[in-house]
Amino acid sequence: MRMGNALLMGVAALAYGVLFAPIVVIVVFGFNAPLGRFNLIWQGFTLENWLHPLRDAALSQAFATSLGLALSASAIATVLGGLMALALTRHRLRARSWIEMLLVLPLTSPEVVLATSLLNLFVQTNLPRGFGTLLIAHSLFCLSYAALTLKARLVEMDGSLEEAAMDLGARPLQAFRLVTLPLIAPGLLAAFLLSFSLSLDDYIISLFTAGETVTLPLYIAGAFQREISPQIHVLATMVLMASVALLGLSVRSGRSA
Amino acid sequence: MIPADFGVIELEGVQRRFAGTAAVDGIDLAMAPGEFFSLLGPSGCGKTTTLRLIAGFDRPDAGAIRLLGQDVTDVPPHRRRVNTVFQHYALFPHLSVWDNVAFGPRNRRLPEPEVRRRVGEALERVRLGELARRRPSQLSGGQQQRVALARALVNEPAALLLDEPLAALDAGLRRTMQQELKRIQREAGIAFLLVTHDQDEALALSDRLAVMQSGRIAQYGSPREVYDRPVNEWVAGFLGRANLLADPLGGGRTMLRPEQLTLRGEAPHAEQAGRRARVVAVTFQGATLQVVLRDGDGQELVARIGRQDPAAGVRIGEVLWVVWPVQAGHHWSS
C-alpha cells in the first residue's frame, strides 16, 4: 500500500515536472546573462533583461502588434460568438444543426488548410495582406471557440430566468442586462481568455495572412536563426503572469456566480 | 381598484398550434376578481401553454386575451399586470432574496423608500423577513417557493399565475404550502390562477376550476360540481376513483364514488340499491381502507370505508352486499 502510494506520487511528480519544465525554463532564462546572441545556455544571473524589456526594438514592435491583434480579435470573437450562442440557444432556428456543424468545422480542419484557403480568398478578392487580414483570420478561428464556450454556459442557464425578468416588468434589453449578462459574464471572460491565448500563439494562419506585418510568433520563428534575445523570455514571462492573474480572476468570479 | 363588471382574466376562443397540432384548441374562460381558479389536467393537455399565453411569453394563433377588460393579446409580458410563479421558481441566482423581490418594483421605478417598504411587507407576508440577505441557492425548496411568491405579489398584480408551484416539493411540505397559498391569496385579495395536474390540490384550493383535456376545457365548475357531477367518464376518472355502472335496462350509466358505497351482510332495503360481490383486494390507506370487489357479472366495484366501519375486517374471498342510496351517484343518459 505504502509502496503503491509512493509510486503514484512519483509518477504524478514526473508528469507535472514534464508539463511545467518548459515554463520554468522560460522564467529562469529571463534572468540569464548570455554571452552571444543566443540565450540558450545558462551563464549567470542578471536583472538587466527585466530592467530593459523593450531593448530589442523589432521584438517589441512584434509584441505590440500581437497584443493589439489578440485583444481586438478576442473582443470581436467574444461579441459575435456571444450573439451566435444566444441565437442558437434562445431561438428555434431551422438551420440550427447546420450552423453548429459549421462552428465545429474550423476546429477540426487542419490549420494549414484554413490558412491556405484564407490566403486564396484574400488574394482572390484583392484584399491587401496586413493587419486587417490578420484580424479577419484570427477573429474567424477564435469565433468557433468563443461561440461554443458561451453556448455551453447559456445551455446551463435556465431560460425561464429571462421570462421571469420580463414578467417582473423588465423590457427585453433590460432583462438581458440585469439577468442574462451577469450570469454569462464568467463565460464571456473564459471565451475572451481562450481567444486571446489562441490568437497570441498562432503561427500558421498568421504566416499565410500577415503580408508585411510581423506578429510575435512570426518574429521569434524568423529570428531564431540569427538571434534569441533574453527579452523574448522576459516578454513571455509577462504574458504568463498576466494569464495566471486573469485565470485566477475567472476562477474566483466563477465560484461566486 | 378592479372594476367588478368584467373578469380579471378573460379568454375568448384562444388557440395555439405547435407544428400543426393544437396545444390549446379554442378556450373560453373568465376569472372573477379575488377568485382562486385552477386549470386542472394531465401533462400535455395545454394548461401550461394557456398560462404562458396569459403571461405573454407566447402569442395565440387565434382568439383574444383580456386583462381587466383590456385586450392584451399583442401586449408584451413586461406591460401586462399579471405576475408568474414559475414551476422551478426561476429565482435570479446572482441576486439576494431582497434584490429578487425588489426586482419588479425597481423596474417600475418606484422611489427607493417605497421599494423598501413593499419588499419588507412582501417578505413578512411569506414569513421570510430574516432571510432577506441570503442567496437563493442557500434556501430550501419551500423557502425558494416563498421567495417566488413574494417576488410576484410585491407588484400587486391583477392576477397571480402559478405554474405547478408545489410539484417540486415533498408531500408534507406540499400540504403546508397549500394552506399557505390559500392564506396568502385570502389576505392579498388577488385572483390566483393555478395550473396543476394534482386533482387533490385543485379540489382543496379552488373556488372554481376548469378540467382540461387535449387543449380544450372539458368541464368548468366548483370543485363539488366537478367531482360529484362530472360531464363524462374521463373527467370522472381524472378527479378520482369512479365506479361506472350500466343501467340494468340499458341506455345510461351511473357513476358512484368509492366513498358512496357501503359493505354489509344483509340485502339493501327500499331506499337503497345494491349488488352481491366478492372481495378481491383490500388495501390499507391510512385513514381509510380501499376494498375492491367483483360481482356476478364480472363488474369491478371499488369501495372506500372508514376504519371504524363494521365492514373494516373484511377478508379476500368474502361475499357481501355492496349498497348505496338510490339517489346517490351521477347519472348519464346516453
Side-chain angles (χ1 to χ4, degrees):
Chain A
M1 194 65 215
R2 191 169 294 170
M3 263 292 285
N5 268 343
L7 191 67
L8 186 67
M9 291 296 282
V11 171
L14 190 70
Y16 274 102
V18 170
L19 262 176
F20 286 110
I23 293 177
V24 172
V25 167
I26 286 175
V27 177
V28 168
F29 271 71
F31 297 99
N32 190 21
L35 289 177
R37 290 162 166 258
F38 292 91
N39 183 23
L40 291 172
I41 296 159
W42 184 257
Q43 306 285 349
F45 181 85
T46 179
L47 286 175
E48 187 64 15
N49 313 321
W50 275 89
L51 291 174
H52 306 282
L54 303 179
R55 185 158 52 196
D56 188 336
L59 172 66
S60 305
Q61 178 59 45
F63 185 65
T65 304
S66 265
L67 272 186
L69 176 62
L71 284 173
S72 22
S74 311
I76 291 170
T78 305
V79 170
L80 288 183
L83 293 174
M84 282 187 85
L86 274 173
L88 286 171
T89 49
R90 291 289 179 268
H91 300 281
R92 292 178 192 176
L93 295 179
R94 208 173 273 264
R96 179 158 76 191
S97 48
W98 286 101
I99 296 175
E100 280 175 3
M101 205 194 75
L102 288 175
L103 268 181
V104 178
L105 205 58
L107 309 185
T108 52
S109 56
E111 212 181 339
V112 72
V113 173
L114 204 60
T116 2
S117 53
L118 275 168
L119 179 60
N120 267 21
L121 202 67
F122 293 147
V123 171
Q124 190 71 44
T125 52
N126 227 350
L127 213 59
R129 266 74 66 209
F131 191 84
T133 47
L134 271 174
L135 186 58
I136 293 172
H138 281 224
S139 305
L140 177 88
F141 71 75
C142 290
L143 178 64
S144 292
Y145 289 95
L148 292 173
T149 308
L150 284 162
K151 209 185 112 217
R153 184 82 194 181
L154 278 167
V155 164
E156 242 174 66
M157 191 184 139
D158 182 359
S160 58
L161 288 175
E162 283 161 31
E163 286 180 350
M166 286 188 264
D167 188 72
L168 295 166
R171 280 172 277 115
L173 269 179
Q174 259 181 319
F176 180 77
R177 185 170 55 83
L178 295 172
V179 174
T180 315
L181 203 55
L183 289 174
I184 63 168
L188 287 172
L189 185 62
F192 186 87
L193 287 179
L194 186 63
S195 303
F196 185 83
S197 69
L198 286 168
S199 165
L200 195 66
D201 181 53
D202 177 75
Y203 177 71
I204 298 177
I205 290 177
S206 300
L207 186 66
F208 279 71
T209 56
E212 299 293 303
T213 310
V214 181
T215 67
L216 186 64
L218 290 178
Y219 175 81
I220 294 175
F224 163 70
Q225 312 277 327
R226 295 172 276 111
E227 178 184 23
I228 298 176
S229 71
Q231 272 73 21
I232 290 178
H233 297 79
V234 172
L235 294 180
T237 307
M238 286 179 177
V239 171
L240 182 70
M241 290 189 322
S243 24
V244 168
L246 279 172
L247 270 178
L249 204 73
S250 102
V251 168
R252 263 190 56 196
S253 72
R255 202 170 285 157
S256 70
Chain B
M1 184 178 69
I2 293 163
D5 52 338
F6 33 66
V8 180
I9 298 174
E10 289 172 341
L11 304 188
E12 201 181 296
V14 168
Q15 214 182 71
R16 179 72 177 107
R17 311 179 72 83
F18 292 117
T21 50
V24 174
D25 195 6
I27 278 190
D28 299 303
L29 190 147
M31 257 178 83
E35 185 176 34
F36 201 124
F37 192 97
S38 297
L39 281 177
L40 172 66
S43 63
C45 72
K47 56 191 193 299
T48 294
T49 304
T50 307
L51 197 78
R52 292 175 57 81
L53 291 168
I54 297 171
F57 304 140
D58 199 1
R59 291 201 178 174
D61 295 311
I65 299 170
R66 283 188 292 274
L67 294 177
L68 302 175
Q70 280 187 328
D71 192 310
V72 295
T73 315
D74 296 316
V75 172
H78 63 274
R79 284 177 35 219
R80 295 192 185 193
R81 281 201 50 205
V82 289
N83 288 108
T84 308
V85 174
F86 291 83
Q87 183 168 7
H88 301 290
Y89 319 134
L91 299 177
F92 305 126
H94 60 300
L95 300 179
S96 67
V97 167
W98 180 277
D99 289 333
N100 262 279
V101 179
F103 194 90
R106 282 178 183 153
N107 275 329
R108 287 166 59 191
R109 300 186 191 289
L110 296 180
E112 197 56 29
E114 174 72 4
V115 172
R116 270 200 294 279
R117 189 183 65 73
R118 285 203 189 195
V119 173
E121 270 179 24
L123 286 174
E124 278 318 305
R125 174 160 282 158
V126 299
R127 299 175 177 154
L128 270 185
E130 70 281 9
L131 297 179
R133 300 174 66 159
R134 300 261 187 99
R135 288 285 178 98
S137 58
Q138 297 170 301
L139 303 180
S140 71
Q143 289 166 337
Q144 292 186 23
Q145 167 73 78
R146 285 164 195 266
V147 178
L149 269 169
R151 187 178 70 171
L153 282 170
V154 73
N155 305 293
E156 298 176 351
L160 194 68
L161 312 176
L162 302 109
D163 185 9
E164 302 265 13
L166 308 179
L169 304 176
D170 59 57
L173 199 53
R174 194 151 57 217
R175 271 191 290 278
T176 318
M177 280 310 293
Q178 278 185 13
Q179 291 166 15
E180 278 287 284
L181 272 185
K182 197 72 186 168
R183 173 184 69 80
I184 290 165
Q185 192 256 343
R186 224 177 289 126
E187 282 178 18
I190 290 175
F192 274 30
L193 177 57
L194 173 76
V195 157
T196 180
H197 67 275
D198 182 330
Q199 61 279 8
D200 293 333
E201 193 170 294
L203 292 175
L205 292 174
S206 317
D207 297 316
R208 282 191 310 149
L209 57 97
V211 185
M212 283 188 73
Q213 182 193 13
S214 317
R216 293 167 179 272
I217 291 180
Q219 190 170 3
Y220 211 11
S222 73
R224 277 166 205 274
E225 279 164 12
V226 179
Y227 184 76
D228 289 337
R229 295 195 295 283
V231 288
N232 57 35
E233 289 176 17
W234 185 85
V235 173
F238 190 74
L239 284 159
R241 291 295 294 250
N243 295 295
L244 301 170
L245 303 179
D247 287 351
L249 302 175
R253 305 189 89 181
T254 299
M255 181 215 64
L256 288 158
R257 293 290 180 193
E259 63 275 14
Q260 293 176 307
L261 305 183
T262 49
L263 306 179
R264 313 189 325 190
E266 62 271 21
H269 54 71
E271 262 102 69
Q272 293 177 321
R275 299 180 177 194
R276 274 181 78 71
R278 182 182 297 275
V279 177
V280 294
V282 180
T283 314
F284 177 64
Q285 294 187 320
T288 57
L289 287 174
Q290 179 178 283
V291 184
V292 182
L293 307 99
R294 194 164 291 138
D295 71 6
D297 303 331
Q299 161 91 46
E300 202 174 82
L301 293 158
V302 180
R304 188 175 301 129
I305 59 175
R307 298 185 65 194
Q308 309 303 322
D309 192 286
V314 289
R315 288 170 189 279
I316 293 173
E318 268 183 69
V319 177
L320 300 153
W321 278 96
V322 182
V323 170
W324 58 91
V326 273
Q327 79 282 9
H330 181 59
H331 186 260
W332 297 301
S333 50
S334 53

